[in-house]
């Protein structure tokens, strides 16, 4: 029997390969419009392609291993930028409906987890599988799923990372497919006012996709980008002390939680005092880069062969999740949010982000406003909750279930 050769890529080589895989994902998404319409991230496309190639090569031609030490650094950096976006004045500015929408979205995190746990118990598998295929990956998306995966592995869920990215990818696809049609059905059923022939100025602004440019003063030591990066690093350092304290109390929490909490404190301190003058475009750039490299490195290391024995229960859980989201939106959320045109657009966006990502939510809502007219309220409420505030409440909920079943 021939021995299968092993190729171990060090940290630098792993990053180099990650850059290639990310670039391939970008190329494929541009060439296949269907993937772009569903807002499937380029890193997920490239990463899953490589993971399947690696599955084919494993134990046949060559076994490849990676140095993924940089994953945790990038993950914490990304969630630090998320924490830096959680502004209390911004939440208040959104008004009562933003708070209501956050409350409903938080309750739905519990619903998703109860559905997952119920189906997992029916199949006699670890109930934490249902939590992973619940709010961890559906409301949380790929980043939250992969961030929590090591904790679920420790709690006994074999192949947690693979389960997480599978569930998250299903959610992104499903959220992109059903969000628009359900929003359209609500408008049709309740005969809501439309502006089919003449889009308003607000609708055109919502549909604009002008690129946002960020100027970098490369020759200045005190450039806004450099100051932003330094603030992130300091916040991460202080946050690690907070995380270490939580660990000393035997609390099971993701590594990023301390940094995210400290980041929210820093953001609100700066909102009040204007001392730090945080550049939020620069913060978004750092967060986007950190997220994409973190995801692609994590996807490269996926062990798809660990998914086989859980394929059926995972598929059933995800099927029920999609059905329940559709029913919840149609019969409950639409009425709670005001049973009007804005509520229909919000409902479409809700499906996008509780199954996939905020990008799905925005894409769903743009589909609606392109046909029926503007909804400035929806474009304020959904991205604010889906991109920022739900990450805080969802992390607490996930931690509760993780500690309950560990």
């Amino acid at each position: 029997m021939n021995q299968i050769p092993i190729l171990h890529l060090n940290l630098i080589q792993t990053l180099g390969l990650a850059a290639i895989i990310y670039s391939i994902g970008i190329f494929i998404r541009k060439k296949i419009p269907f993937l772009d319409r569903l807002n499937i991230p380029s890193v997920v496309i490239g990463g899953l392609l490589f993971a399947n190639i690696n599955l084919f090569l494993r134990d046949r031609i060559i076994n490849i291993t990676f140095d993924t030490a940089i994953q945790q650094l990038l993950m914490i950096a990304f969630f630090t930028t998320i924490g830096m976006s959680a502004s209390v004045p911004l939440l208040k500015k959104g008004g009562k409906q933003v708070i209501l929408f956050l409350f409903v979205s938080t309750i739905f995190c519990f619903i998703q987890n109860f559905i997952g746990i119920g189906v997992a118990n029916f199949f006699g598998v670890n109930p934490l599988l249902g939590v992973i295929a619940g709010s961890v990956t559906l409301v949380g998306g790929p980043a939250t799923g992969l961030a929590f995966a090591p904790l679920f592995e420790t709690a006994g869920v074999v192949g947690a990372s693979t389960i997480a990215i599978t569930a998250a990818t299903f959610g992104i696809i499903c959220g992109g497919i059903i969000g628009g049609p359900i929003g359209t059905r609500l408008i049709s059923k309740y005969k809501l006012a439309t502006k089919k022939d003449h889009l308003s100025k607000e609708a055109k602004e919502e549909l604009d996709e002008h690129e946002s440019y960020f100027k970098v003063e490369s020759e200045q030591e005190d450039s806004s980008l450099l100051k932003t990066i330094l603030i992130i690093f300091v916040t991460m350092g202080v946050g690690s002390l907070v995380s270490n304290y939580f660990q000393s109390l035997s609390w099971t929490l993701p590594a990023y939680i301390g940094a995210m909490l400290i980041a929210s404190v820093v953001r609100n301190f700066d909102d009040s005092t204007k001392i730090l003058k945080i550049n939020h475009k620069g913060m978004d750039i750092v967060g986007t880069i950190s997220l994409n490299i973190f995801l692609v490195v994590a996807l490269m290391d996926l062990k798809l062969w660990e998914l086989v024995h859980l394929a059926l229960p995972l598929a059933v859980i995800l099927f029920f999740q999609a059905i329940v989201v559709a029913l919840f939106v149609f019969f409950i959320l639409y009425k709670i949010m005001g049973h009007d045109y804005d509520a229909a657009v919000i409902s479409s966006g809700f499906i996008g982000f509780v199954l996939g990502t905020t990008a799905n939510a925005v894409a769903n809502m743009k589909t609606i406003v392109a046909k029926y007219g503007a909804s400035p309220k929806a474009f304020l409420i959904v991205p604010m909750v889906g991109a920022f505030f739900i990450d805080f409440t969802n992390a607490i909920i996930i931690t509760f279930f993780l500690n309950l079943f560990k």
Side-chain angles (χ1 to χ4, degrees), residues 83-90 262-272 276 278 280 388:
M84 207 69 73
S85 302
S87 166
V88 172
L90 189 64
I262 295 299
S264 67
V265 173
V266 171
R267 166 63 189 267
N268 287 283
F269 170 78
D270 192 48
D271 282 346
S272 300
L276 299 175
I278 297 170
H280 297 290
F388 308 136

Side-chain angles (χ1 to χ4, degrees), residues 146-276:
L146 291 172
F148 271 93
L151 298 180
F152 281 92
E153 289 272 5
T154 303
V157 182
V158 178
S161 294
T162 306
I163 295 168
I165 200 62
T166 301
T169 303
F170 169 87
I172 290 170
I173 294 171
C174 198
I177 290 174
I178 69 175
I182 288 181
T184 301
R185 175 57 184 157
L186 284 169
I187 293 170
S188 173
K189 179 180 179 181
Y190 294 104
K191 297 180 173 59
L192 303 174
T194 67
K195 303 171 185 175
K196 188 173 181 179
D197 297 325
H198 302 286
L199 290 179
S200 66
K201 178 182 177 182
E202 290 87 350
K204 291 178 181 178
E205 289 174 354
E206 287 166 5
L207 293 170
D208 274 345
E209 296 189 23
H210 297 303
E211 293 206 33
S212 179
Y213 293 97
F214 176 64
K215 183 179 179 181
V216 178
E217 305 87 353
S218 58
E219 297 181 358
Q220 297 181 16
E221 283 192 346
D222 62 343
S223 69
S224 57
L225 180 59
L226 176 60
K227 287 193 292 186
T228 297
I229 293 173
L230 293 179
I231 291 170
I232 291 173
F233 285 167
V234 172
T235 303
M236 290 169 63
V238 177
S240 71
L241 299 177
V242 175
S243 292
N244 289 342
Y245 174 71
F246 288 151
Q247 288 179 358
S248 71
L249 300 176
S250 299
W251 294 358
T252 301
L253 292 167
Y256 67 76
I257 199 70
M260 192 164 74
L261 289 173
I262 295 299
S264 67
V265 173
V266 171
R267 166 63 189 267
N268 287 283
F269 170 78
D270 192 48
D271 282 346
S272 300
T273 64
K274 308 298 181 185
I275 291 176
L276 299 175

Side-chain angles (χ1 to χ4, degrees), residues 106 109 113 144 154 210 271 297 318 348 402:
T106 300
C109 291
N113 291 333
T144 301
T154 303
H210 297 303
D271 282 346
V297 171
L318 294 174
S348 177
L402 187 56

Side-chain angles (χ1 to χ4, degrees), residues 320-343:
F320 277 105
Q321 296 284 19
I323 296 297
V324 171
V325 168
L327 294 174
F328 180 83
V329 163
F330 207 85
F331 294 105
I332 298 176
L333 180 73
Y334 168 72
K335 296 177 180 178
I336 290 176
M337 295 309 298
H339 49 83
D340 56 11
Y341 175 67
D342 286 321

